[in-house]
Amino acid sequence: MSESSRDTAQGAGWGSAEPGAYKQLMPDHVEKLSWLNPRTLWAARNGVLASWFGDPTGGTRSRWVARRAEAGAPADKVIRREVPDRFSFMVIGDTGEGDDSQYCVVPGFLTAAQDTDFAVIASDVIYPVGSTDDYGTKFFQPYQDYPAPMYAIPGNHDWYEDLGAFMRVFCADTPPLDPEPAPRPLTRAWWRTLLWRGPRPADEQRFADARKLRSLPGQEAEQPGPYWAIDAGPVRLVGIDTGLLGTVDAEQGAWLREVSRGPKPKILISGSPLYVDGEYHPCAIHGGGTVDDVVRDPDNHYVAAIGGDIHNYQRYPVDVDGRTVQYVVSGGGGAFMHATHTIPRISVADVTERDFRCYPLRGDSLAFYSRLYARRLGLRRLLALTESEATAVIAQYLGIEPGRSPGPDVRVTRRMRLAATLLGAGGDPDRTSRVRLPVRKLYTKLFSPGSATYSPPFFKSFLRLDVSPDAVRLRCFAATGNRPQELDPPVEDEIIIPLT
């Protein structure tokens, strides 16, 4: 087994390692996606419009589900897979950026995914707006050599063109929805409709050619809709669609409560995590209650809840009335890396730093961003930190033992502390200053989405879950973009989840 980032800096991808071979898998032309580009932000405006003028995704989702029911999809939305009591599957989140940060994951993913029965994409299959024309280079091409079916839960970006492309690809070529009646003039719905981005015409020949890349019989998968359950061996996977704003509509909520009943152990897979960045987000269900109410109900027998949307890995083992539920963030499968160094010292739901895990390590995240913005802003003397310096200053900020030793000769200086503060480093949530907290929030919202880079280390990740009658073995694998980690993906975290 190769070294991980917890072992050495080389295991994290730092140093002069041999570059990976992932570029051989990439298209000849790659359009670089920048979330600081006004054109990209305007194309992705529907999330803001939904928050201002009301979120229409619940109604649209209901119409999609009705369309699938008319086509013969099972009423309970359960996919029944014939697998033995021991089987394996992959989870990979927030994949579809189509550039180096997505393709660098593919070689290691294919290595770790050998002999798995299927894979699930957890959130944001296609950036920036879920367009049909982007599925070729951002889904079919990168995963053409994965021999098993791939299911998916949509993320907010897949909804930016009303989920039409997602329904075509994953839900048996569901035809487009009929236009809705025009709203009354000058109402909130009228303003939303006026500014709303709708689906764009697709290049049908290009789409047909792309689909051929994943057309083998063993790769075929058909979902009953944007939310579903999979019965496989001793477990049930429950996938929910949290739409544009991270909530669940009443119709889906009623289905979730119904499909969650019974003694079979269950794993939730969601477009949004319930615990993330040291905070609790239970995910509201319209009409009352939350998704986490369902997960915590002992009669439903949930053992884990996995969410995408945030582009890194985090794990919170939460005690729920004497049993442990593993709450996992798994959104590191392809898009830009969300910072982990902005996560404060963990103290949520009785989970502490001793129990919490994340990837990349906070020190590596700070080193990554310090070098990135030192280069972009021409402030190398002020901002640039080595991985050892970043690890040491994070340990001091949080008052914790570092995930990897920074070495005996590293002394934290005033300049290093200033760089960490300017880059939004987290701290003790009970002692965070009035200055540092706004800086961290500003950094997380504004600068983190501008972190797209085109050279290693990328700090990407994905999950493999090995299921047996008694337990699930969950492993988080890393992808750095370097050749050693392609050949032997390092395990950054591992946990055995009991089923009985």
Side-chain angles (χ1 to χ4, degrees), residues 29 47 97 107 113 143 147 152 160 184 194 214 277 299 309 364 403:
H29 172 72
E97 201 159 276
Y143 308 118
Y160 286 161
R184 290 188 299 110
L194 179 67
R214 277 191 56 83
D277 294 346
D299 292 334
D309 188 51
D364 288 329

Side-chain angles (χ1 to χ4, degrees), residues 132-147:
T132 301
D133 285 348
D134 285 335
Y135 266 85
T137 58
K138 300 179 181 181
F139 174 71
F140 291 111
Q141 182 169 339
Y143 308 118
Q144 61 183 307
D145 292 326
Y146 180 65

Side-chain angles (χ1 to χ4, degrees), residues 279 424 436-446:
E279 299 176 350
R436 189 185 299 172
L437 182 60
V439 169
R440 189 174 74 229
K441 289 185 175 180
L442 176 66
Y443 183 85
T444 302
K445 295 292 186 183
L446 181 61

Side-chain angles (χ1 to χ4, degrees), residues 25-359:
L25 307 175
M26 295 179 66
D28 294 333
H29 172 72
V30 175
E31 182 179 353
K32 295 183 178 181
L33 178 62
S34 171
W35 290 105
L36 301 180
N37 186 327
R39 292 182 59 186
T40 303
L41 296 175
W42 176 246
R45 64 189 177 273
N46 286 1
V48 175
L49 295 176
S51 66
W52 287 354
F53 301 115
D55 184 2
T57 55
T60 306
R61 184 187 296 115
S62 182
R63 294 166 66 209
W64 281 123
V65 169
R67 178 67 61 87
R68 289 292 292 128
E70 293 169 0
D76 61 3
K77 301 173 185 60
V78 177
I79 303 164
R80 292 171 172 85
R81 290 197 57 84
E82 298 296 328
V83 299
D85 285 343
R86 296 178 183 272
F87 75 98
S88 302
F89 67 98
M90 306 295 289
V91 176
I92 182 169
D94 298 82
T95 54
E97 201 159 276
D99 53 17
D100 292 68
S101 66
Q102 177 176 11
Y103 278 84
C104 79
V105 181
V106 175
F109 174 83
L110 294 176
T111 297
Q114 291 180 22
D115 302 321
T116 54
D117 289 272
F118 59 89
V120 177
I121 299 178
S123 183
D124 291 341
V125 182
I126 300 296
Y127 292 99
V129 295
S131 297
T132 301
D133 285 348
D134 285 335
Y135 266 85
T137 58
K138 300 179 181 181
F139 174 71
F140 291 111
Q141 182 169 339
Y143 308 118
Q144 61 183 307
D145 292 326
Y146 180 65
M150 298 189 80
Y151 302 97
I153 285 295
N156 57 313
H157 289 269
D158 299 305
W159 270 100
Y160 286 161
E161 288 195 357
D162 293 337
L163 208 66
F166 181 98
M167 295 297 293
R168 288 188 68 178
V169 172
F170 294 103
C171 302
D173 277 319
T174 306
L177 295 174
D178 298 325
E180 289 190 284
R184 290 188 299 110
L186 301 181
T187 61
R188 293 176 72 208
W190 182 83
W191 284 108
R192 183 185 65 222
T193 303
L194 179 67
L195 298 171
W196 197 258
R197 177 188 173 93
R200 298 300 191 261
D203 183 332
E204 294 298 334
Q205 184 59 56
R206 176 180 170 185
F207 182 64
D209 291 341
R211 297 191 82 158
K212 294 176 184 177
L213 297 175
R214 277 191 56 83
S215 59
L216 297 176
Q219 295 175 315
E220 294 177 359
E222 181 178 321
Q223 298 179 190
Y227 57 92
W228 41 258
I230 299 176
D231 275 348
V235 298
R236 169 171 283 186
L237 311 183
V238 179
I240 61 170
D241 169 19
T242 56
L244 281 171
L245 300 182
T247 60
V248 168
D249 62 277
E251 180 181 315
Q252 183 182 183
W255 169 85
L256 173 64
R257 293 184 176 102
E258 179 65 29
V259 82
S260 297
R261 293 175 180 169
K264 196 166 195 174
K266 299 173 186 72
I267 298 172
L268 182 77
I269 301 180
S270 169
S272 302
L274 302 180
Y275 284 89
V276 60
D277 294 346
E279 299 176 350
Y280 178 46
H281 300 273
C283 188
I285 298 175
H286 294 188
T290 69
V291 169
D292 200 39
D293 291 340
V294 178
V295 172
R296 287 170 173 264
D297 189 331
D299 292 334
N300 294 337
H301 297 274
Y302 276 89
V303 298
I306 302 170
D309 188 51
I310 301 302
H311 307 164
N312 52 47
Y313 171 80
Q314 302 173 43
R315 181 171 62 83
Y316 302 79
V318 177
D319 180 84
V320 180
D321 299 326
R323 62 192 176 92
T324 300
V325 177
Q326 299 289 341
Y327 290 86
V328 177
V329 179
S330 182
F336 67 87
M337 184 261 284
H338 272 128
T340 58
H341 68 268
T342 58
I343 302 173
R345 192 170 73 187
I346 296 300
S347 179
V348 60
D350 293 327
V351 178
T352 66
E353 279 292 327
R354 182 186 298 273
D355 313 307
F356 171 71
R357 293 291 183 273
C358 70
Y359 176 79

